[in-house]
Structure formats: structure tokens, C-alpha cells
């Protein structure tokens, strides 16, 4: 009934818990890996309500040469380029009008060098930074009226439908109880009654994956045999033993002296070697994808690991680590999954949790004409039909998260961001290429005959590294 009070209390509880956690960490010298799972389920992010996508219309593209021709025919004289005084702001010669393609000679610098321009040929207004935005007209999906920009934030602009006859607005007002109406009169800001859209301005070009680059790593500096390296990776990644335990095991069982720091260094080198292979492998995908976040400790601070995953083929498609659980991270995670699809399917759907960042990410991609559906599985019980239908898929990725945590738990003593990301990369290599999966009749997600022939896990690690090295040489030759 009083959502702001609940949010406040939750924030306070979280804050208290953070203090307790910090104190415990100081007392025991250990970080408590599982703690975030125990934070209240009703996380504050729920209060952000994301509306449907607006209707996005693009300006029709025009041809400046035809327009100049028309001008000449109607006026009997050609349209002259912009006359510039010595004092006027220069227009970069590389700039064209985004709507009609007119060269820079026909462009006015509109507002004293702040990067806004106007085309003399087609009158189109645009800015250098966000050219594509100016080509879009945003309309309310409920009443088809143009949306009005009401706020400019760091990463996005906020648009609102201000039409009083809009069905969205009318339904919200009519749906209020007497008490709510009274409150609304006193404090209209506390209610969201109008359609809102957030337009992203972040500098991120989707689907613009570069070709693979040769990693800057020299495996010849690993001074153990490839079999020993395979053993180390098996204990450390497959069995989730910490670098210290792995070092102890190597000494006690195999009689090989190697420090835990050296193991961490090897881990980094192997991760760098395998990363292009994992990221550019031509995976065969199913079309059922889900995403989830989990927490990892990086440099003494909690970070988020985003997993996107083919739920049927059991292949991890993206695994970015970010200090923030924000829309930019969600966009990155989805983009890394999208680039692995040979073609983006028409009925593409991502199943995720109730976090609104995924809906905002969906809107971002729609702005770039990349369309997919987002289904949110919310809470612990099936209160809505979507949650009931897609929960099994969501549970699959939650299981993946548990597997990851099981392996990660003992290895979380990493001091640096790189160390942690290296382990995540190795885990993905293990999960996609080496780990037999019961749901796949004991097969690994990516079946590779060259790996299948080898019976032991250290041997398979060695072969996988060899395949990755061979592959990168072929790609960059
Ligand atoms: Zn133009
Ligand atoms: Zn409207």
C-alpha cells in the first residue's frame, strides 16, 4: 500500500546487512560468498515500471540530388550551398545529412558548435553524436500521439505521452480508488499515470563484432608439461579446487612443486588462449535462450556475472562481468549472445528474471532495428501465466549458476579483476566443450570428435588448448 515505505525498509535492511557482512569479513578474514542470495526477495528494482515499446517511425529517406533538381525546376535557379562567414562555426567536411545525404556544403552548424546541424536541402535537424535518433519519430503505443521529451539523463532521454485522452492515462486514473485519487490530487508525482519511454543514447553499436585477434600470450612460458597443465586445470576448474589446494595436491599426490601464484598465472594465460575460440566458435543453437545474473567477488567487491545460455543445447553464449547490474551490462550480455547466432531468428525470445534492465535493453535493440521478445519469470511462485510457462527454462539457468558457484566458491580468493574473469572464461570452456551433461545423454554440449577420442580430462584440456591455438592461426593467417 505504501511502496515507498517498503522500499525504504528494504534499503535499510540491505544496509544493515551490509554492515554486518563487512564486520564479519573483517573478523573472519573471509568473504561470504552466498550472502547476496539471502537478501530480501522483493528487491527495490521492482518499483521501476517499464512500459511497452513505443511506435517507432523512421523518416523516409530522401535523395538530395533529386531535391536539388526539384528546387531548380520550381525556382528557376539552383539552391546555393551555405554561405559561411569567417566567424561561423566550421562544419566537418566528412559530415552528410542523415536524411537526404547532402554534403557538408549544405549543412548549417545550428547552435554555436554544440554539435547540432540543419540541412539546407531537406530542413532535417540532427546532431553528430546521435544521428540515428534524429531519424526516428516516437509515438505512444496507446494513442498514437507523438511523445514529448521531458528529461535528459546521462544514458537516456525520457519521453512521455502527455495526451489527456490517451487510453493508458485514462485507465490509470479510472483504476484508482477514492483514497488514491485524493492522494493523487495532493501528490501527483507519487503516481505513474502516463506512458513513459526511455530512449538510450549510449555509445554502443550492436552486432559490431570484430574479427578474432591473436591473443597476446605466450604459452611457451608455461614451464610444466602439457599433461601437468591439464592436471592443474582439471583440479582447479572441473573440481573447483582453489589454487592453493591444487598446488598442495600437485605436491602431495604427483610430487610436483608449483606455487599457487604460478597456477593463477597459468590460468590467465590459458584463458587468454581459449577466449577467441570460445567466443567465435560456430555454435549450433536451438533458439531457446535464457539469461541470469550471479554474484562474484572481484578485488574485494561484489560484481555481477551475466550468463546467457542456450537452454536446450546447454551452451553458454555470453558471460560478461560488470561492477553494476545496469542496463548497459544487460545490453552487452545480450549483444554477446546475439552475435553468436548465424541469423537472428524472427521469433527470438530471451527468458530472464524480473529485472527491468532486460526490458530497457530490449528497447535499446529495437531502436537499432533488432527485435526480440523478453519473457520475465518473476518471483518464486507461478503467479502469472508467463512465469508458469517459462519457469522450467529459468530453472535450467539457475542450475547452471549453481554449477558455476560450486566451482567458483573455493577459487574466489582472486585479487584482481583479470584473475576472476580468467576463471569465468575457463569455466565456460569447460562447460561448453568438456563437461558431459546428463540432459544431453552424457554428451558434452559441443561435440568435437578430436576431443571425444581422448579418455582423460587432462588430455582433453591439452587437446582443447591445441585446437584453440590452431584455430587462431588459421583465422589470422
Ligand atoms: Zn538533408
Ligand atoms: Zn498516449
Amino acid at each position: 500500500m505504501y511502496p515507498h515505505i517498503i522500499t525504504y525498509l528494504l534499503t535499510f535492511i540491505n544496509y544493515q546487512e551490509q554492515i554486518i557482512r563487512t564486520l564479519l569479513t573483517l573478523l573472519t578474514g573471509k568473504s561470504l560468498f552466498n550472502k547476496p542470495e539471502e537478501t530480501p526477495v522483493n528487491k527495490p528494482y521492482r518499483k521501476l515500471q517499464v512500459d511497452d515499446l513505443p511506435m517507432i517511425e523512421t523518416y523516409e529517406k530522401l535523395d538530395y540530388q533529386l531535391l536539388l533538381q526539384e528546387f531548380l525546376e520550381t525556382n528557376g535557379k539552383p539552391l546555393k550551398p551555405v554561405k559561411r562567414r569567417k566567424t561561423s562555426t566550421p562544419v566537418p567536411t566528412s559530415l552528410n545529412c542523415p536524411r537526404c545525404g547532402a554534403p557538408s556544403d549544405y549543412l548549417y552548424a545550428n547552435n554555436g558548435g554544440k554539435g547540432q546541424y540543419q540541412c539546407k536541402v531537406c530542413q532535417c535537424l540532427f546532431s553528430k553524436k546521435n544521428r540515428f535518433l534524429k531519424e526516428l519519430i516516437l509515438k505512444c503505443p496507446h494513442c498514437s500521439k507523438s511523445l514529448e521529451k521531458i528529461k535528459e539523463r546521462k544514458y537516456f532521454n525520457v519521453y512521455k505521452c502527455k495526451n489527456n485522452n490517451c487510453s493508458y492515462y485514462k485507465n490509470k486514473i479510472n483504476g484508482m480508488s477514492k483514497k488514491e485519487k485524493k492522494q493523487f490530487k495532493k501528490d501527483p508525482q507519487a503516481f505513474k499515470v502516463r506512458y513513459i519511454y526511455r530512449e538510450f543514447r549510449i555509445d554502443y553499436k550492436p552486432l559490431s563484432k570484430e574479427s578474432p585477434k591473436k591473443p597476446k600470450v605466450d604459452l611457451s612460458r608455461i614451464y610444466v608439461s602439457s599433461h601437468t597443465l591439464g592436471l592443474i586445470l582439471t583440479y582447479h576448474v572441473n573440481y573447483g579446487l582453489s589454487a592453493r589446494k591444487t598446488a598442495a595436491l600437485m605436491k602431495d599426490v604427483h610430487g610436483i612443486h608449483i606455487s599457487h601464484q604460478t597456477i593463477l598465472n597459468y590460468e590467465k594465460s590459458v584463458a587468454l588462449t581459449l577466449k577467441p575460440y570460445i567466443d567465435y566458435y560456430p555454435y549450433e543453437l536451438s533458439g531457446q535462450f535464457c539469461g541470469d545474473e550471479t554474484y562474484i567477488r572481484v578485488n574485494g567487491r561484489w560484481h555481477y556475472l551475466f550468463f546467457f545460455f542456450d537452454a536446450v543445447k546447454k551452451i553458454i553464449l555470453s558471460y560478461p562481468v560488470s561492477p553494476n547490474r545496469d542496463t548497459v551490462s544487460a545490453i552487452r550480455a545480450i549483444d554477446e549472445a546475439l552475435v553468436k547466432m548465424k541469423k537472428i531468428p524472427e521469433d527470438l525470445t530471451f527468458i530472464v528474471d524480473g529485472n527491468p534492465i532486460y526490458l530497457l535493453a530490449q528497447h535499446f535493440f529495437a531502436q537499432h532495428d533488432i527485435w526480440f521478445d523478453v519473457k520475465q519469470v518473476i518471483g518464486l511462485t507461478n503467479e502469472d501465466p508467463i512465469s508458469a510457462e517459462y519457469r522450467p527454462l529459468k530453472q535450467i539457468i539457475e542450475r547452471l549458476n549453481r554449477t558455476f558457484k560450486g566451482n567458483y566458491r573455493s577459487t574466489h580468493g582472486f585479487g584482481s579483476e583479470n584473475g576472476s574473469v580468467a576463471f569465468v572464461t575457463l569455466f565456460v570452456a569447460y562447460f561448453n566443450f568438456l563437461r558431459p551433461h546428463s540432459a544431453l545423454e552424457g554428451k558434452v554440449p559441443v561435440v568435437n570428435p578430436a576431443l571425444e577420442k581422448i579418455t582423460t580430462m587432462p588430455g582433453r584440456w591439452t587437446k582443447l588448448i591445441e585446437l584453440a591455438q590452431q584455430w587462431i592461426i588459421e583465422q589470422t593467417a
Side-chain angles (χ1 to χ4, degrees), residues 5 10 30 45 118 125 134 149 179 187 193 195 200 211 232 234 237 269 272 284 326 357 361 457 461 467:
I5 291 176
L10 281 173
K30 277 182 207 160
Y45 66 64
Q118 183 161 29
L125 270 168
K134 300 296 164 195
K149 198 203 283 180
K179 206 173 151 195
D187 183 16
V193 290
Y195 172 84
F200 284 90
S211 47
I232 291 169
T234 304
V237 183
S269 305
L272 280 173
E284 293 293 331
D326 56 11
I357 56 174
M457 205 44 90
W461 271 111
L467 288 173

Side-chain angles (χ1 to χ4, degrees), residues 418-435:
N418 285 340
S420 176
V421 172
F423 186 83
V424 174
T425 309
L426 292 180
F427 176 82
V428 174
Y430 159 65
F431 197 91
N432 286 0
F433 294 92
L434 302 176
R435 183 178 181 270

